[in-house]
């Protein structure tokens, strides 16, 4: 058996469907061949996150998101994770598929009469007697998997070993390497003379940074702003252009307090492995779709400390380039072979607020980023993590 890495097996099904039994068996089979396998069982996880142990839909949903983020943190580091959990939420499964390198969703679909007969935890009979509420698949809204990779009717007609064989035979689909216009940017950085001075936005942000804190830059390009920030704070800078990152790593290999990583900034491993005081995104949110914008905002929220600040500068729908080129979705166009999505200030503010930020500054104005003869209105936002302590 070939060893694998960076894969999440998300084993889901109603209570009693056989998640723990099958997940355990799968774990021991994989462990015969490799060490990087972790089993996370819902009952164990639930006991660990004891702060949110009720069974309301909201608590279940929050827990499911926590488990999903834990799984991703591990798959990013090459682990094979087997997570056995009911977590019947479409958005959580969608997040898993988008955020893990390899993802196998296994749905143990077992008829209710079989589950009721098994009733190992006594939940179904207790619900019938009115003693248990919010039981998935019975008296609670349940979003069953819509497109699992594997569906197994674990009603006892096939053995546990046969179930695991089905899972092991599955050809894992790995996420295709991200493409954030990498070819465009590689050419751009190869052919444009280096702009060394920091942007006006970076100069505005610099004044607000406290010495010795940590900053994550999403889409650092040629590193002009990151290097400037590193005079004051510890910088982690991400960009999709392998050309830009390898040039930066060569140029600044002896410089401490700054590291350049080639990754997809929407779901980069760096967003999940530590927390930062600041996150900086200049002209990057308009390079991704609205859906990806929501993903990255949510990921940044979790990657920031409780007092964290998110600095954003982005093109607005009032830009002179708006409408040029081929339409490519809401407020988006492909112009000169390059994707750009123009932002509505109020919409972006709403997305930030919905994801746990408080807007401390927002403005759309000319003069923020003049370039040659052009001086379009540009959006600037500073958002602060919204929690009870600030
Ligand atoms: P879950 O983790 O989904 O709640 P479990 O793995 O704990 O489910 O299984 C619930 C019960 O059903 C256990 O007693 C288990 O031994 C039994 N079980 C699971 N799969 C089968 C099967 N294929 N045939 C018979 N019993 C099964």
């Amino acid at each position: 058996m070939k060893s694998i890495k960076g894969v999440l097996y998300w084993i889901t099904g109603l209570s009693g469907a056989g998640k723990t039994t099958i997940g355990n068996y799968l774990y021991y089979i994989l462990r015969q061949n490799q060490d990087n396998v972790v089993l996370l069982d819902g009952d164990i996880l639930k006991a660990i996150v004891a702060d949110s142990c009720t069974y309301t839909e909201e608590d279940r949903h929050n827990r499911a998101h926590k488990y999903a983020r834990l799984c991703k943190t591990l798959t990013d580091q090459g682990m094979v994770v087997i997570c056995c959990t009911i977590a019947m939420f479409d958005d959580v499964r969608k997040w898993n598929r988008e955020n893990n390198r390899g993802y196998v969703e296994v749905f143990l679909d077992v008829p209710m009469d079989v589950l009721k007969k098994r009733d190992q935890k006594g939940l179904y009979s207790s619900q019938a007697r009115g003693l248990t509420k919010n039981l998935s698949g019975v008296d609670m809204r349940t979003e069953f998997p819509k497109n699992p990779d594997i569906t197994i009717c674990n009603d006892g007609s096939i053995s546990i070993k046969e179930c695991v064989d089905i899972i092991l035979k599955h050809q894992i689909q790995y996420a295709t390497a991200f493409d954030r216009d990498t070819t465009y940017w590689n050419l751009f950085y190869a052919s444009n003379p280096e702009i060394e001075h920091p942007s006006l936005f970076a100069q505005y942000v610099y004044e607000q940074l406290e010495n010795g804190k940590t900053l994550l830059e999403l889409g650092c390009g040629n590193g002009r702003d990151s290097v400037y920030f590193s005079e004051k704070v510890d910088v982690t800078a991400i960009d999709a252009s392998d050309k830009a990152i390898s040039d930066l790593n060569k140029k600044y290999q002896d410089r401490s307090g700054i590291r350049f990583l080639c990754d997809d900034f929407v779901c980069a491993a760096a967003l999940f492995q530590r927390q930062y005081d600041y996150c900086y995104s200049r002209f990057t949110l308009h390079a991704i779709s609205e859906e990806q914008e929501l993903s990255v905002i949510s990921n940044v929220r979790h990657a920031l400390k409780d007092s964290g600040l998110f600095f954003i500068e982005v093109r607005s729908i009032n830009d002179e380039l708006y409408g040029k080129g081929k339409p490519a979705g809401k407020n988006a166009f492909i112009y000169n072979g390059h994707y750009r999505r123009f932002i509505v200030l109020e919409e972006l503010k709403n997305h930030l607020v919905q994801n746990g930020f408080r807007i401390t500054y927002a403005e759309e104005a000319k003069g923020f980023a003049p370039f040659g003869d052009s001086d379009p209105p540009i959006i600037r936002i500073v958002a602060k993590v919204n929690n009870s302590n600030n």
Side-chain angles (χ1 to χ4, degrees), residues 210-282:
E210 280 181 47
N211 277 317
K213 298 226 166 183
T214 51
L215 179 144
L216 176 69
E217 177 167 12
L218 308 177
C220 65
N222 73 359
R224 60 199 276 232
D225 292 346
S226 302
V227 172
Y228 172 59
F229 292 141
S230 72
E231 289 166 15
K232 207 169 181 182
V233 293
D234 181 274
V235 176
T236 303
I238 304 171
D239 201 278
S241 166
D242 45 351
K243 162 98 183 92
I245 294 297
S246 75
D247 288 355
L248 285 164
N249 275 324
K250 262 183 235 140
K251 192 165 167 189
Y252 296 104
Q253 58 183 329
D254 297 326
R255 198 177 168 113
S256 62
I258 187 161
R259 63 212 61 82
F260 300 99
L261 309 170
C262 185
D263 207 342
D264 179 348
F265 69 72
V266 173
C267 55
L271 283 159
F272 291 82
Q273 291 169 359
R274 59 181 285 195
Q275 285 195 308
Y276 306 85
D277 296 292
Y278 311 111
C279 183
Y280 176 79
S281 154
R282 179 173 185 270

Side-chain angles (χ1 to χ4, degrees), residues 10-24 26 41 82-86 88 93 104-112 114-115 118 124 142 144-145 148-156 158-160 162-164 166-167:
W10 187 262
I11 302 187
T12 187
L14 297 178
S15 180
K19 300 180 293 297
T20 303
T21 313
I22 289 173
N24 243 274
L26 174 65
D41 186 77
I82 302 165
C83 186
C84 308
T85 175
I86 301 176
M88 288 286 173
R93 289 183 297 255
V104 182
E105 193 174 290
V106 182
F107 176 32
L108 303 181
D109 190 8
V110 180
M112 189 48 79
V114 177
L115 295 176
R118 281 185 192 155
Y124 294 101
T142 307
F144 289 98
D149 299 281
I150 301 166
T151 302
I152 300 173
C153 180
N154 181 36
D155 59 0
I158 58 169
S159 70
I160 298 298
E162 282 170 308
C163 294
V164 170
I166 293 171
I167 298 172

